[in-house]
Amino acid sequence: MGDVFHKDCPAREVLGHLAGRWAILVLTALLERPHRYHELRAVVAGISDKSLASTLKSLQQHGLVHREAGSGQPPPVTYSVTDLGRGAAAALAPLLDWIRANAAEITAR
């Protein structure tokens, strides 16, 4: 394990992929169940198509999200978390719970 405080630590790259608000929200939404693109866009209110597509692509490239295209025209595409992504989402869920519980106090300052 590297020292995340060191500028060359590879864990910083991983932190960068997971620390963005969209990545956290998308991963935790997918922790509940697999979603199609339009469902994710509705669940993660306020995310643009560009941000959602970019976030899903990044999470998929890093092995945290699985994209499955079915048959049909156009093919239905479903996104789900991988085992690796499930671990990340499970670790992030308590952070979201803490934020929900404390957001009013923090933003009131």
Side-chain angles (χ1 to χ4, degrees):
M1 181 183 327
D3 177 5
V4 295
F5 294 104
H6 190 275
K7 68 180 179 87
D8 296 325
C9 178
R12 280 196 180 190
E13 181 180 348
V14 175
L15 182 62
H17 296 302
L18 293 176
R21 69 177 163 174
W22 299 130
I24 292 171
L25 293 173
V26 167
L27 273 176
T28 54
L30 290 173
L31 186 59
E32 295 174 12
R33 67 175 180 82
H35 288 283
R36 302 223 8 224
Y37 183 90
H38 69 279
E39 293 172 327
L40 271 173
R41 193 177 61 217
V43 170
V44 184
I47 192 170
S48 68
D49 282 329
K50 181 178 178 180
S51 292
L52 180 55
S54 174
T55 299
L56 286 168
K57 184 176 180 179
S58 176
L59 293 172
Q60 183 184 353
Q61 286 174 336
H62 293 94
L64 301 168
V65 166
H66 174 72
R67 179 185 185 273
E68 184 172 333
S71 60
Q73 196 58 13
V77 177
T78 303
Y79 296 91
S80 59
V81 289
T82 62
D83 288 340
L84 189 61
R86 188 170 290 105
L92 292 168
L95 174 62
L96 284 182
D97 291 340
W98 181 88
I99 290 169
R100 282 185 200 109
N102 295 285
E105 180 181 350
I106 293 167
T107 58
R109 293 176 184 248

